[in-house]
Amino acid sequence: MLKKINILICFVLFLVISKPLFVSAAGEFQVIEVYDPQNLISTPLHYNPDYYGMDVVLVYFLGTSIKKIRFSDYVDSSFSNPLNTKVRNVSDYGWSYFNGFYFSCNRYYLAEFFGASDNLLVRIKLHVTGLVNPTCDSSSYGNYEDMGGNDSGGSDPNSCNACELFSCPGWSDYMGKLDEIKSAIPPAPNWNQVATTFRDTIVPQLVSDIGTLFGPAPSVPSEPPEISGVDTGGIETKVPSMPDPGLDTSGFTKGRIESEAPVIEERADPTGGWDITDPLGTLPDFPSMPIPGETDPKGWDAGKPQETETQLPIPKDQEGTRNIGDAPTPSQNNDTPPSPGRNDNNAPNPNQGDWNGTEYYKKHPDDPDGGGGG
């Protein structure tokens, strides 16, 4: 389980830090082209500073499809005139498939990966410039033969060539943190010892503390003795007697009464009687709920009084017709309204002395009332 966690952590680190242009303190490479229509690349191209003592650029594949590798190195990005071309088959190593490949020199590379029918599955073009051990520049081919493939599906099922992922930068730092976390977790308790301690130590102490707090329980009281010297009047020896003689020997018993009692004849009711009905069963059915937009009341108007049409009374015909004449028109009206020019009554002038009451007017506002100005 820890191995799977380690692989997952390192793979996440690759996803976070891997880019087409990888730059580190010890290596640099640039991906020019990747052809992978079937998504066979499981771990993209990445720098490994310590791959069996070398710093290389690695790539890993999924599945068992890749059976053949052809790779060439070039001086420039034109990828014309290869310096060297090598072909590797899985049979060269006794493997069943290739699951990875590494580039160990500072060159331009073209690597092609084929299936069982010699069909092209993956093609990679890249430029490696930052390898230190070895550098393998274009003038030196001493380490060229060290390029090759890795396999995890050989005869040994316990082999783990993919574990080269553990050589990623900072791996020991991350694993050291996990070790610190693991060391900080206390071990699981011994539950048998816990139960024994609880039974032998905690429970007795708890009982003792409760006894100290509440005190001991009182003892159970003894049964009180019978009261002696009580005068019963001899009631325990008395037998009840019947008030009438002979009743005690009459022999009336429940069984005799049930067997000798006369049968009461049932008489039919001549009126026919009546039936008691269930009141809930006589209730009318509840009408269904009205639906908006419908005019059907659906039983909700049951028992509603019908509306009657009220007609206004019409007066009866009268014999004869009253002659009220024709309505006058303005043209036929002979009454002419008076006009101001035809009024012969002239209004009195206040200055005229012959107008009654003029002598009572003040001649001056300062004159007393009724002064007359005399």
Side-chain angles (χ1 to χ4, degrees):
M1 183 63 183
L2 182 59
K3 181 183 294 185
K4 293 181 179 180
I5 295 175
N6 294 342
I7 295 175
L8 179 60
I9 293 175
C10 195
F11 182 71
V12 171
L13 293 175
F14 272 129
L15 293 180
V16 173
I17 63 175
S18 61
K19 297 181 180 179
L21 179 61
F22 181 95
V23 180
S24 71
E28 179 179 355
F29 67 91
Q30 181 180 8
V31 177
I32 300 174
E33 176 187 343
V34 174
Y35 170 79
D36 182 19
Q38 300 182 23
N39 295 320
L40 296 179
I41 296 178
S42 62
T43 304
L45 290 158
H46 58 279
Y47 172 69
N48 189 321
D50 186 14
Y51 182 78
Y52 295 104
M54 301 182 297
D55 54 342
V56 298
V57 176
L58 277 166
V59 62
Y60 289 101
F61 305 106
L62 291 172
T64 61
S65 302
I66 298 177
K67 309 293 185 179
K68 174 183 173 181
I69 301 175
R70 181 174 64 207
F71 50 93
S72 304
D73 60 341
Y74 300 84
V75 176
D76 53 40
S77 59
S78 65
F79 292 95
S80 59
N81 302 322
L83 299 175
N84 293 277
T85 299
K86 299 290 184 179
V87 177
R88 296 288 184 265
N89 293 282
V90 291
S91 58
D92 298 339
Y93 304 93
W95 298 338
S96 58
Y97 59 90
F98 289 107
N99 78 333
F101 190 78
Y102 64 85
F103 304 89
S104 61
C105 296
N106 293 323
R107 311 277 179 82
Y108 285 93
Y109 283 109
L110 169 60
E112 297 173 312
F113 305 86
F114 301 88
S117 59
D118 212 26
N119 54 314
L120 179 63
L121 299 178
V122 179
R123 180 174 59 244
I124 298 175
K125 288 183 179 180
L126 76 157
H127 184 204
V128 182
T129 58
L131 301 182
V132 178
N133 180 30
T135 57
C136 299
D137 57 23
S138 58
S139 62
S140 172
Y141 310 122
N143 194 251
Y144 191 82
E145 294 296 333
D146 287 337
M147 298 175 61
N150 300 312
D151 173 57
S152 63
S155 59
D156 183 8
N158 297 321
S159 63
C160 184
N161 292 324
C163 295
E164 304 303 332
L165 287 173
F166 297 153
S167 299
C168 65
W171 176 255
S172 58
D173 296 336
Y174 293 114
M175 290 301 98
K177 296 296 182 181
L178 292 179
D179 292 337
E180 292 179 8
I181 296 174
K182 179 181 177 181
S183 301
I185 300 175
N190 186 342
W191 293 113
N192 292 329
Q193 183 179 0
V194 172
T196 302
T197 303
F198 189 85
R199 180 196 63 190
D200 298 340
T201 305
I202 298 178
V203 172
Q205 185 64 38
L206 179 63
V207 172
S208 176
D209 293 344
I210 293 177
T212 303
L213 178 64
F214 296 103
S219 60
V220 179
S222 61
E223 185 179 355
E226 295 183 1
I227 301 176
S228 61
V230 178
D231 184 11
T232 62
I235 190 172
E236 64 275 2
T237 60
K238 292 183 177 181
V239 178
S241 61
M242 297 295 177
D244 295 331
L247 288 179
D248 53 345
T249 60
S250 61
F252 283 108
T253 62
K254 177 178 180 294
R256 183 180 174 186
I257 293 174
E258 292 177 350
S259 61
E260 296 180 2
V263 178
I264 299 175
E265 182 182 358
E266 295 182 2
R267 180 176 60 86
D269 186 359
T271 63
W274 67 89
D275 296 329
I276 300 177
T277 59
D278 181 9
L280 297 179
T282 60
L283 295 176
D285 295 336
F286 190 77
S288 60
M289 299 301 295
I291 300 175
E294 290 189 359
T295 58
D296 184 9
K298 297 184 181 297
W300 287 95
D301 61 346
K304 181 181 178 181
Q306 297 181 354
E307 297 181 0
T308 57
E309 296 182 359
T310 304
Q311 297 181 353
L312 296 176
I314 301 176
K316 297 181 180 180
D317 296 340
Q318 299 178 356
E319 295 180 359
T321 303
R322 181 180 179 183
N323 187 7
I324 59 176
D326 297 332
T329 59
S331 61
Q332 296 177 355
N333 192 350
N334 295 325
D335 295 334
T336 303
S339 61
R342 296 178 57 186
N343 190 358
D344 296 334
N345 296 324
N346 295 325
N349 190 340
N351 296 327
Q352 295 177 357
D354 57 353
W355 183 57
N356 294 329
T358 57
E359 64 272 15
Y360 298 104
Y361 281 95
K362 289 183 178 184
K363 303 304 182 186
H364 191 274
D366 296 334
D367 291 344
D369 293 340

